[in-house]
Amino acid sequence: MTSFRVSLLAVFLLPAAGWAQDLSRDALAARMAAHETPLLLDVRTPAEYREGHLAGALNVPVDEVAARHGVLGIPHDRELVVYCKTGKRAARARDTLQALGYTHVQLLEGSADAWRAEGRPLVQEHPSP
């Protein structure tokens, strides 16, 4: 009976673990260097985005993801990597996107704070005068 429970748990838990796997910062940096960057979605506020974001990232605040996903024209099978400051808003955005039918959504491991702490490059937007 115990082995049945373990097998049953494996059937339900293992696919979910693979489904919600984060993309490591090293793996993303390597893909960026090879010009194979997935679509990056920064779900922080516009002010946070301007202070420093990953190159090529699209800024859609977490509270706007559901409302704006259709006008963005992102195919549901496109690989998306979502990040925010620490990962909490990114996880909410990932859940929203998956509920909307997006099938390849990952979180950036450690999000923007960890990327910045490692001295990795960020793009800063300066408002025009």
Side-chain angles (χ1 to χ4, degrees):
M1 184 67 158
T2 302
S3 64
F4 174 75
R5 277 190 227 161
V6 171
S7 298
L8 188 59
L9 282 173
V11 166
F12 288 105
L13 295 179
L14 288 178
W19 184 51
Q21 187 175 29
D22 294 348
L23 181 64
S24 76
R25 293 178 305 281
D26 287 339
L28 178 58
R31 291 187 61 191
M32 291 171 90
H35 304 287
E36 298 174 356
T37 308
L39 180 61
L40 300 173
L41 192 62
D42 184 323
V43 297
R44 299 175 300 162
T45 66
E48 290 173 298
Y49 178 82
R50 284 189 302 272
E51 290 173 3
H53 59 86
L54 278 70
L58 178 63
N59 182 224
V60 180
V62 66
D63 293 332
E64 298 176 18
V65 169
R68 291 181 54 193
H69 84 96
V71 298
L72 296 173
I74 302 169
H76 283 72
D77 61 349
R78 174 101 187 256
E79 183 181 10
L80 301 171
V81 175
V82 183
Y83 73 93
C84 62
K85 180 176 172 30
T86 63
K88 292 177 184 174
R89 288 176 283 179
R92 281 182 37 214
R94 179 198 56 209
D95 293 347
T96 298
L97 289 164
Q98 288 174 335
L100 292 167
Y102 290 87
T103 57
H104 299 297
V105 184
Q106 294 179 298
L107 301 180
L108 174 60
E109 177 187 68
S111 251
D113 275 358
W115 185 270
R116 183 185 311 267
E118 293 175 346
R120 297 181 190 263
L122 292 170
V123 176
Q124 292 185 338
E125 304 287 328
H126 301 285
S128 50

